[in-house]
Amino acid sequence: MAQDTIFALATARGKAGVSIIRMSGPKSWDAVRALAGSLPKPRIASVRVLKSSDDVTLDEALVLLFEAGHSFTGEQSAELQLHGSPAIARAVLSELSDIPDCRIADPGEFTRRALENDRMDIAQVEGLADLIDAETEAQRRQALRVFSGDIGALVETWRTQLIRAAALTEATIDFADEEIPDGLFVEVAELAQTVLKSLRDQKKGHAFAERVRDGFEVVILGAPNVGKSTLLNRLAGREAAITSDIAGTTRDVVEVRMELEGLPVTLLDTAGLRETSDVVEALGIARARDRADTADLRIVLVSGSEMPVGYVSRETDIVVVSKADTGNAGGLSISSKTGLGIDQLIALIGERLLALGDGGSVLIRERHRLAVDHALDALNAAETWLARDYIEAEIIAQHLYTAIRALDSLVGRVDVEDILDEIFSSFCLGK
Ligand code: GDP
């Protein structure tokens, strides 16, 4: 089916050094020719004067052409690198929209075409979306791994092993027990085991990968007036929470998003944990306790050796002595006033968060975890059936297929043709 040719401003709106208009589809080179008069060689940037249909000069631009099969979308494409003025971009976009069969692209349409033309799989599309959204170093690295196709590569390994297991199993269906080679189901079980282990490893790291994407919650706990809000401001580098020496100022949870040691962190300042008869303050304290329960990491701020009321310690808690400038001392002492100990605290927060990593994972979304869970269920079932005395090959094969389909859904590929191919080509019981 002939596609429309789409175009859009690929750079952010507004003034800039350069603005780029991108085009994709069968008419993109024709559109460039209409504006630039002549075409440069593909993939060699060349300067052209762009003119409107009534011969008014619009801009001098760097023009780049890509042949079908050599572009981001897989289609014939072009880029116009313009001087970064909103007026130029507007004029060129308006000219393009007058060219027949050319239209402004829908959001994400270039990537959708890349997906449709098999230039990337669905997980890579997700990686690309995350890469564009990445604000911290850890997010950039993680998204780049997914965009580069790490999920696809893993799926490929898993499916090769499972297809072999399914093919071996399937091939026994029409055979009498005594005809089945010794050790065949041992190999099937080993293949399933290998994939199970790899899936479990990936799942272990999922929670961490998801946090890298969405942010870690770090909560600051402590008695009123111990200096929580001041610490939050010091860490955030700006006045994010109200500080005062009237106990109970922070009645709710104050959140600040920041980057600590390359990781995205939402830092939470909580209402001072203390006994109170003030209803509003009590609500704040209840919320603080809830958030403290689910936080990834807790910083417990103390002024001496006394712990906050109702505090139940956790192994990963970082206990910090506040207001070191006033003579308070203890393990890790800090002063949010002078900055003493703050760098050590930041390093420790980064270290503790990274320690949650557990080997890392490319399963960065809930969708990925669900697909892997589905595959794990199927493989666990296959294992149970494999452990029985009487082997039900058809049931085992079904579970293996279910696992393969679940894993294929990670990259958006679901077909059984490959399984059939494997059965008929590489496997033969000699009949
Ligand atoms: P919160 O109730 O725990 O959030 O405490 P605040 O951050 O509002 O601080 C209570 C009081 O302690 C304020 O007057 C702060 O200026 C003061 N304070 C906080 N941190 C320090 C510090 O490191 N050194 C000194 N000298 N005073 C501090």
Side-chain angles (χ1 to χ4, degrees), residues 28-40:
S28 18
W29 291 11
D30 289 346
V32 173
R33 194 183 288 108
L35 286 167
S38 66
L39 295 181

Side-chain angles (χ1 to χ4, degrees), residues 220-233 241-250 269-272 301 322-326 334-339:
I220 307 176
L221 295 178
N225 257 341
V226 74
K228 297 182 296 298
S229 307
T230 314
L231 172 61
L232 178 103
N233 291 343
I242 315 152
T243 61
S244 89
D245 46 13
I246 305 158
T249 315
T250 311
D269 177 20
T270 56
L301 209 53
S322 73
K323 307 187 192 180
D325 57 298
T326 64
I334 59 154
S335 166
S336 306
K337 278 255 158 82
T338 66

Side-chain angles (χ1 to χ4, degrees), residues 133-159:
D133 282 341
E135 285 175 351
T136 76
E137 185 53 21
Q139 286 174 330
R140 183 189 66 76
R141 277 200 302 262
Q142 175 166 291
L144 194 60
R145 278 199 295 146
V146 176
F147 172 63
S148 312
D150 278 18
I151 293 187
L154 271 173
V155 169
E156 210 43 55
T157 320
W158 293 330
R159 87 192 306 271

Side-chain angles (χ1 to χ4, degrees), residues 121 123 149-162 362-363 404 406-413:
D121 63 42
D150 278 18
I151 293 187
L154 271 173
V155 169
E156 210 43 55
T157 320
W158 293 330
R159 87 192 306 271
T160 306
Q161 289 164 321
L162 293 180
V362 290
L363 310 178
I404 293 167
L407 295 172
D408 273 350
S409 75
L410 280 170
V411 286
R413 172 185 56 191

